Each structure stands twice: as C-alpha cells, then as structure tokens.
C-alpha cells in the first residue's frame, strides 16, 4: 500500500492525533432485538466498554451489515473467541476510545426478521432512524450516533444520513458505490456477470444461515464459523428459525438483473437500479448536511469513480480519500510495488483516524468545506485538492498510428486501419478490480503475455516525468461485423526493460454509444451515455462508427523513458458477459486523417522548476 | 498474521485442557476460558473431531456435556477407540490453527476431504 514515509498531505496524518484511551479493560458483548416501526425485529449486537459506570454517557458507532453482524463460532474457537471476532480490531479500539459499538443485521438478513427485495431499500434506510431512537434511549448513550462501514456497510453508513436525525453527527463510508449501474453492475453498460452471480449466491446462503457457502468461497471463514449468531435470549433458536423462514422470500440482484441491459429497465418490484443509488438520494443527504468521510482506492472496481462523483456532487462537508489498496484496504494493491506485503496505515491506525474524524464532529468544531486526498502511484505521494479535476489538469491527445504506435501527432494518411478478431478467451483473470469486491487480491500480472491476445498501441519513451491524474477518454472509430459488442481498453506503463504494468482500464458496450445531450443525473467529466433503452444504438455492420467513453480514474506518474501502452480487447471472459452472445466478430479500428482514433490523457501540468 | 496464529494456538492450549482417564476410558475436555453459555451440542463435538482431528470413521462413543463444570466427557467402550480419539485430541488445537494458516495461504487441499459437516 502507500509509502509509509509519505507524510505531506497524508490524510491519515492530518486526521490523526494520539488516541486518548478511555477504557482499557476490554469490552462486553450482548445482543438483542430492536423493534422497528412496522414491528420487524432487527438483531443488534452491542459492545460496551468494560468498566463503564452507570453515570457514564458515551457516543455510539453504528454499522448496519448484510453479512451477519456476529458469528456463531465452531468449537473450539467459540470457547476462546467472542462472536464479534471477525470485526477485529473494531470493538476493542472503538470501546477503548469511549464509544459503544453496535452492529445490526439489516432487515431480511442474519438473525433479523423481514424480507429484502432489493438491497439498500427505503425501508432498510428508515430502519436507521428507528435504531437511532433505540440507541439514544439507552442509559449509557450520550445522544450522539455516528455510522461507519466498508463496502455494503459503507453504503448503509452514507444512506444513514438521509434520516436526518439530530443525533446523527457524521458518517464514514469506505469503498461504496455512487451509481450502482456504472460502478458495479454494468460498468460501461457491460454486465459484471461474475460479481453479480457470486454476490447473490453468497447473500442467499447467508440469509438462509448456510455456512456451506464459506467452504466454497471463503474456506478460512468456514473453518471457524458455524452460522449467524442468534440474539442472547433466543436460546432455543425460535426467533432465528422464524427469521430464516421469512428470508426465503428474499430476492437477489443476479436473478433480477441477468436479463437486463439498460439503466431504466424495471426490476420485478417496479423500481430501477437507479432507485437504490446514492445520487438519486443526493438532495436528502445534502439536507442533513452531515459531514462525510469517504474513502476508496484507484484499483477498486468502479468504486474509484464513485468517490470522484461523490466529491463532485455532494455539498455536504466532506473528506474524500483515494489510495492504492484493495477493496476495503484488506491488502496492498499498488501494481508498481507488488512486493509490498502490508497495508499502511494499518487497520488499527485507519480506525483511529476515523474515530478522530468522529471526535471532531461530535466534540470539536466539525468539518466545513471539502477536500480530496489522493495518492499518486509511482510518485508515491499524497496530494490534496479542493476541486476535481485538480488544478493543472488538461487533456492531451495521443493518436493510434501506423505500426501499432501511439503518437502525439494526428495521422495524416487517407486510409489506415487495424483488424482485430475478437478473442473471447481474453481475460484479466480473477484477481482484477472487479473480483476484488469479493475480497480477492488485485493482481494484473503477466500483462505482456496477456496483451498478445489484444490489439495494442505503444508510445515513444516519454521525454519527461508526466503525471496522469483523472479519467482518460478513449475515442475509437471502428467497424464491426456485428451489431453488438464490448470494448475493453487497458492503459499500461512500460519501463525501460519492457516490464508492463497495469494502470487502469475502461469497458464499454457499443450499443450504448450515443452521447447524450441531456443533462446527466449528476456531474461527470467524461462523455455522458444514458444507458437507457431509448438511446440504444446497435452498430450497422461494416459502417464506421465513433465510440467514445471514459476510463476509470487514476493518478500515476509516468517516468521519463517509460512508454504508455493501450491494449484493446473485446472480452474479459472471467468477469463480464459476452457481447454479442454468439458469433465471432471482427472489428477494424481506424487511424486515418478523417477517422483518427485517440486517447485523451488527463495530464497535470507541473510548474517549471 | 503469523503472530496472530501463534497466539491463537497458545490461547487454545492454555484455555482448554484435555485429561485422559484411562482406567475408565474417559477423555475430558475442560474449558477454562471466560466463555459463557452452553458448552456445545454433542453433534458439534463430533464435527470438531472430523474437521480438525481428521476423524473419518464412525467411532462408538458417548458425548456428555457438563455445562455446570464446563466440561465435555467422551466415554468409550474399549481401549482401541479411547486411544484413537486420545491421539486425535492431543494435537487437535495445533491442527485447527495449522489448517487455518494453510487455507489463509490459499492451500485448500487441507479441507478437501473433510466430510459434509453442515447438514
């Protein structure tokens, strides 16, 4: 992960101060049901500092999960570890710093009652309000509640603010989406089949309390977890078994989206994917004006763009952070430093930084304005900006040219094209930015070998160090033998020895190619494709067509002497659906004066020294 | 991570004592930790022996859960079975953590032949 010596503009250093320990005797754990407005019972596990007196009043950190709030461990682990062990280091640090820590199973999951048709439903969000009411009625509560989480729980934390309850003082949302259509389900309109299927499979098994799922996908968890933890009084599992029967009515995103293509297509309950987004709830989040700390990584799925869009669009006081780790910062992921074994800052240091943020919002002056901290790969430096894109940002073109070169000069030839037969065996494997959402490490290795299956263009060695920060935009003129297809573009660095390192990528389904003149639902800095059914525009086989789309944001320093490579594929078989479903398309990419294909690189102009 | 696993092994060994009463063919698993609640269901003890002890055959034994004294008694009818399970239990905590280490490192072979214990 990040260079531990990078201090300047380091958000963790700026948020950090030496934690003031308040309770050092550990924590106690108990669990109960919290009744909701519609009599649904939500299972909650409560960790309190040991040694808290009846006169002590403390704030609460809340996490609302769909992955079991607490685990029933197998013996012998149950005899020595508590039910929140998988939350390490959360409880001990949180309670040690004088907070209660509450984890709940969202409705329809874990030991909670209720059903779920879609994740992040309005009812699930409203439960946050009922939970806050319950928390502040507890004898130990000082009336202040904050929420934090990563991934699913990061999204529930951000949506928690919608309740606009006066007790809610801040939220910390790590690695969560902004636009579920483009950030995770259909990046560039291309269906992330692998994630949607596996995430649904995992969810379904969790909701039915079936630990077998772990044996298949997380054996380390299966070895010590027997199931979800029932609440304390449910000794004979009456409540749990009732809840599990109700969960059988749950619906899952894979079944509901597999046959879908468009952003505006209705799901079985009449909603669309957009309805569970953050951006559709922007006004309510802003109404709360609750400070938000949002963080993610350049390498994590489309969630990197979620941070950028959150920063550009929400008016709440905000600290946004983009680093170089895997999903949830579980593992290092900087592809330029694959030998790094540990994550800096550590989970403990990160958690202390988040609590420092909460402390400032509850007891200090709070936060005003917005700042985005981002880590530039290769340069290994933290930077801070108040606007996005950062000052100095400008696009510079590099054109696809003869002999698979990438030049600054526009081609001046009347005809030029490269033919590519789509290789449907092309893959980034199962350690890419999309599988990372399932907890897998991010590793784009052997790129030179993989690129042999792709159509590639390579630049001359750079004459000076060049910072690329932002979202590159690709413009391709192409013909295809088929009406449908997908384009995958990989941006790579090549060093003097020929080592190829993945920087970022973008994917796009060509039927969504029409660039809309309508206002997008939120501010973006790349071409706007609606992904709506009315705008679908299949290719006419053999007709030259312009395809233009943005890549996922990045920040990287290209060293003097290094070259850039653009590798183009038509499939990523282990992750995305195949377009078209059948057939063997051949595409031609044009690079002539009239049809000049190119990439717009987001360069940061550096002050001359 | 390595430190964590070493600590886990030590906690298991220090918190759970195994005593063998050879004349009476009883193996006792005594829980000395602060764990609260019922010790286990008899079926869970069998699962533990299968998962972490490598038990693959049916061994006749009585499993007696003594929640009051925080103890599990395994009673056998003959010396052969008593010794078989005693052999398993003496190294079961090391095995359990070693398996965790293996799967964490991506070696899933160690769990491949564990029978279906989740029914």
């Amino acid at each position: 992960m990040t260079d531990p010596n990078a201090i300047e503009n380091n958000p963790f250093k700026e948020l950090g101060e030496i934690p003031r320990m308040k309770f050092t005797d550990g924590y106690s754990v108990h669990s109960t049901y919290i009744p909701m407005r519609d009599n649904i019972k939500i299972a909650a596990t409560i960790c309190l500092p040991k040694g808290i007196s009846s006169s002590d009043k403390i704030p609460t950190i809340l996490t609302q999960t769909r992955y079991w709030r607490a685990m029933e461990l197998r013996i012998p682990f149950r005899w020595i570890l508590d039910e929140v062990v998988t939350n390490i280091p959360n409880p001990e640090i949180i309670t040690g710093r004088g907070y209660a820590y509450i984890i709940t199973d969202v409705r329809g999951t874990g030991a909670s009652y209720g059903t779920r048709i879609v994740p992040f439903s309005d009812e699930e969000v409203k439960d946050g309000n009922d939970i806050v009411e319950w928390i502040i009625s507890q004898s130990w509560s000082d009336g202040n509640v904050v929420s934090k989480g990563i991934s699913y729980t990061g999204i529930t934390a951000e949506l928690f603010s919608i309740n606009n309850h006066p007790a809610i003082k801040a939220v910390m949302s790590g690695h969560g989406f902004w636009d579920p259509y483009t950030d995770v389900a259909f990046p560039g309109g291309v269906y992330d089949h692998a994630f949607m299927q596996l995430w649904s499979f995992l969810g379904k098994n969790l909701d039915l309390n079936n630990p077998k799922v772990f044996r298949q996908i997380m054996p380390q968890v299966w070895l010590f977890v027997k199931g979800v933890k029932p609440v304390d009084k449910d000794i004979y599992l009456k409540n749990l078994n009732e809840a599990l029967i109700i969960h059988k009515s749950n619906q899952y995103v894979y079944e509901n989206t597999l046959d879908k293509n468009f952003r505006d297509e209705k799901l079985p309950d009449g909603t669309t994917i957009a309805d569970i987004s953050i951006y559709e709830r922007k006004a309510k989040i802003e109404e709360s004006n609750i400070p938000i700390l949002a963080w993610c990584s350049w390498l994590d799925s489309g969630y990197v763009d979620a941070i950028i869009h959150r920063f550009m669009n929400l008016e709440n006081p905000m600290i946004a952070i983009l680093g170089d780790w895997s999903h949830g910062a579980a593992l290092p992921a900087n592809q330029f430093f694959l030998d790094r074994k540990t994550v800096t800052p550590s989970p403990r240091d990160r958690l202390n930084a988040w609590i420092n943020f909460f402390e400032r919002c509850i007891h200090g002056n709070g936060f005003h304005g917005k700042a985005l901290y981002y880590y530039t790969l290769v340069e290994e430096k933290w930077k801070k900006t108040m606007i996005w894109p950062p000052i100095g940002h400008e696009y510079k073109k590099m054109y696809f040219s003869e002999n698979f070169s990438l030049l600054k000069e526009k081609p001046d030839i009347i005809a030029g094209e490269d033919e590519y037969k789509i290789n449907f065996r092309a893959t980034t494997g199962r350690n890419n930015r999309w599988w990372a959402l399932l907890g897998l490490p991010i590793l784009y290795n052997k790129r030179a070998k993989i690129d042999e299956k792709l159509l590639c263009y390579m630049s001359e060695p750079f004459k000076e160090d060049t910072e690329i920060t932002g979202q590159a935009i690709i413009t391709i003129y192409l013909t295809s033998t088929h009406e449908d297809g997908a384009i995958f573009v990989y941006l790579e660095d090549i060093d003097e020895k020929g080592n190829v390192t993945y920087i970022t990528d973008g994917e796009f389904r060509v039927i969504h190619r029409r660039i809309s003149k309508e206002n997008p639902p939120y501010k973006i800095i790349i071409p706007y494709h609606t992904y709506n059914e009315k705008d679908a525009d299949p290719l006419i086989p053999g007709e030259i067509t312009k395809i233009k789309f943005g890549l996922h944001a990045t920040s990287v320093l290209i060293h003097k002497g290094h070259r850039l490579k653009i590798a183009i594929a038509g499939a990523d078989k282990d992750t995305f659906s195949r377009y078209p479903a059948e057939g063997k398309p051949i595409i031609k990419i044009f690079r002539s004066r009239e049809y000049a294909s190119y990439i717009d690189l987001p360069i940061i102009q550096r002050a001359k020294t | 991570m390595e430190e964590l696993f070493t600590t886990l092994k030590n906690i298991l060994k220090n918190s759970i004592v195994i005593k063998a009463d050879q004349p009476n063919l009883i193996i006792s698993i005594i829980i000395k930790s602060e764990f609260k609640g019922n010790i286990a269901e008899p079926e869970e003890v069998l699962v533990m022996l299968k998962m972490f002890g490598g038990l693959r055959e049916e061994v006749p034994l009585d499993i007696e859960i003594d929640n009051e004294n925080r103890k599990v008694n395994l009673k056998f009818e003959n010396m052969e079975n008593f010794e078989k399970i005693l052999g398993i239990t003496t190294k079961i905590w090391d095995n359990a953590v070693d398996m965790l280490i293996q799967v964490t490192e991506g070696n899933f072979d160690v769990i491949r032949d564990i029978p279906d214990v989740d029914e």
Side-chain angles (χ1 to χ4, degrees), chain A residues 50 72-81 88 210-212 215 219-226 235, chain B residues 8 12 15-16 31 33 35 39-40 44 51-52 93 99-100 103 108 111-112 114-116 118-119:
Chain A
K50 272 186 183 169
E72 181 79 337
L73 302 183
R74 298 185 191 277
I75 59 170
F77 298 111
R78 189 165 78 233
W79 295 333
I80 60 162
L81 301 170
I88 278 177
N210 179 7
K212 276 185 192 174
R215 182 169 189 165
Q220 67 276 28
V221 175
W222 177 72
L223 275 179
F224 71 98
V225 173
K226 186 183 165 194
I235 296 166
Chain B
L8 196 55
L12 279 170
S15 307
I16 309 167
I31 292 92
S33 67
F35 170 75
I39 296 293
E44 288 185 285
M51 282 186 84
F52 305 121
W93 311 145
M99 287 171 75
L100 266 181
V103 293
F108 304 145
I111 63 165
R112 193 151 291 163
I114 296 175
D116 189 354
D118 293 319
E119 286 302 327

Side-chain angles (χ1 to χ4, degrees), chain A residues 37-215:
Chain A
R37 63 208 165 280
D38 54 0
N39 295 321
I40 294 289
K41 291 194 273 273
I42 293 294
T45 288
I46 300 108
C47 304
L48 294 173
K50 272 186 183 169
I52 187 171
S53 72
S54 57
S55 60
D56 284 329
K57 304 288 181 191
I58 57 174
T60 298
I61 294 179
L62 171 69
T63 295
Q64 299 176 83
T65 187
R66 68 98 56 253
Y67 302 115
W68 296 350
R69 77 197 191 286
M71 311 281 188
E72 181 79 337
L73 302 183
R74 298 185 191 277
I75 59 170
F77 298 111
R78 189 165 78 233
W79 295 333
I80 60 162
L81 301 170
D82 67 45
E83 67 221 56
V84 289
V85 64
T86 47
N87 279 289
I88 278 177
N90 278 319
E92 60 182 284
I93 294 178
I94 291 171
T95 58
R97 292 193 62 181
Y99 284 74
Y101 182 40
I102 297 185
I103 320 161
T104 61
D105 289 324
V106 297
R107 64 171 55 211
T109 75
S112 287
Y113 284 68
T115 56
R116 51 195 273 118
I117 306 304
V118 292
F120 313 110
S121 67
D122 288 343
E123 292 306 311
E124 187 178 315
V125 174
K126 284 179 197 165
D127 289 342
N129 197 69
D130 297 345
I131 293 167
V132 171
E133 285 292 335
W134 181 87
I135 290 171
I136 61 176
S137 71
Q138 301 304 299
S139 60
W140 41 261
S141 172
D142 73 351
N144 293 305
V145 182
V146 294
S147 185
K148 76 164 193 69
I150 292 171
S151 196
Y152 194 98
T153 57
I155 298 165
T156 57
E158 187 166 34
L159 293 175
F160 184 56
S161 63
I162 289 176
N163 292 298
N164 200 5
H165 193 291
I168 303 174
K169 297 299 190 295
V171 297
M172 184 285 275
S173 173
H175 292 255
F177 64 58
W178 166 263
D179 179 344
Y181 185 89
T182 54
D183 295 342
V184 60
F186 292 86
V190 186
Y191 189 56
D192 183 349
H193 188 277
F195 173 75
M196 298 297 275
Q197 185 175 30
L198 283 168
W199 190 64
S200 295
F201 174 74
L202 172 68
K204 192 171 194 173
N205 280 282
L206 289 175
D207 299 346
L208 299 176
N209 199 24
N210 179 7
K212 276 185 192 174
V213 64
F214 291 131
R215 182 169 189 165

Side-chain angles (χ1 to χ4, degrees), chain A residues 450-487:
Chain A
I450 290 165
D451 287 349
E452 290 174 6
K453 289 180 182 164
L454 313 185
L455 177 60
C456 301
Y457 296 89
M458 200 156 47
S459 77
E460 292 294 308
F462 275 45
K463 291 181 178 163
E464 58 185 3
D465 283 1
T466 304
E467 181 186 330
I468 294 174
T469 293
Q471 284 181 274
I473 298 170
I474 195 95
T475 303
I476 298 175
Y477 289 90
L478 59 72
T479 61
S480 175
T481 52
H482 287 65
E483 292 184 346
D484 200 357
I487 298 290

Side-chain angles (χ1 to χ4, degrees), chain A residues 277-327:
Chain A
S277 72
I278 305 295
Y279 72 81
E280 280 286 324
R281 289 139 155 174
K282 173 179 177 295
K284 287 182 179 172
I285 294 173
E286 286 178 340
E287 196 180 326
S288 76
N289 203 36
I290 287 169
I292 297 171
L293 190 154
W295 61 288
C296 193
S297 161
W298 298 118
L299 284 303
D300 184 12
S301 60
Y303 288 5
V304 52
D305 307 322
I307 286 283
I308 303 281
H309 292 140
R310 188 174 274 117
F311 182 75
M312 288 174 67
N313 287 278
L314 278 179
E315 293 302 320
N316 296 54
M318 184 182 300
I319 292 176
I321 300 170
L322 276 166
D324 65 347
W325 43 80
S326 72
H327 185 62

